[in-house]
Amino acid sequence: QVQLVESGGGSVQAGGSLRLSCAVSRATVSNYCMGWFRQAPGKEREGVATINSDGITNYANSVKGRFTTSRDKDKATLYLQMDSLISGDSALYYCAARSEVGSCRKERSISTWGQGTQVTVSS
């Protein structure tokens, strides 16, 4: 069973940057489609960014050009670099993985979730 542990959340002013990390255990990070989702208070969880086993990335329109996801196989870690943050990015961010072949852009495709890390952007 894959295990995911996020870190790197915190509070930042608008325009600032944060980098989230997701430590992956009991799996090889590059073998899975993995991604980041977020959920703000009173809103549904939404997909932010994914990277599949071929290294192809996909981003929500709201974060394109500002967020970058990457992975380090040797460190068994998935990253989300978030730049030019805005208040609308404030949410609980989850690392996620799909254990089967295929896209992981939809919440229903996810088989493993991390516990979440809070990001708060003040304007």
Side-chain angles (χ1 to χ4, degrees):
Q1 181 74 15
V2 178
Q3 291 187 339
L4 308 173
V5 179
E6 303 97 333
S7 61
S11 297
V12 64
Q13 290 192 331
S17 298
L18 282 174
R19 187 176 79 159
L20 305 183
S21 298
C22 174
V24 181
S25 59
R26 303 182 182 179
T28 300
V29 64
S30 57
N31 287 352
Y32 289 78
C33 181
M34 298 192 64
W36 297 91
F37 290 71
R38 67 185 182 187
Q39 187 169 23
K43 295 186 177 181
E44 294 185 351
R45 187 154 52 183
E46 63 175 354
V48 175
T50 61
I51 181 167
N52 69 12
S53 57
D54 294 325
I56 297 173
T57 56
N58 187 275
Y59 298 93
N61 288 333
S62 59
V63 306
K64 279 182 181 177
R66 300 189 299 120
F67 289 13
T68 304
T69 192
S70 61
R71 63 192 181 199
D72 187 322
K73 181 179 178 180
D74 292 338
K75 294 183 179 179
T77 303
L78 178 73
Y79 299 101
L80 183 67
Q81 177 67 40
M82 304 185 295
D83 298 318
S84 302
L85 285 160
I86 60 176
S87 58
D89 294 322
S90 295
L92 188 61
Y93 282 72
Y94 296 92
C95 178
R98 175 175 178 153
S99 59
E100 300 171 344
V101 174
S103 171
C104 57
R105 295 169 59 182
K106 300 295 184 183
E107 186 173 351
R108 62 178 179 269
S109 68
I110 299 301
S111 51
T112 304
W113 295 92
Q115 82 286 355
T117 186
Q118 180 67 41
V119 171
T120 303
V121 184
S122 57
S123 57

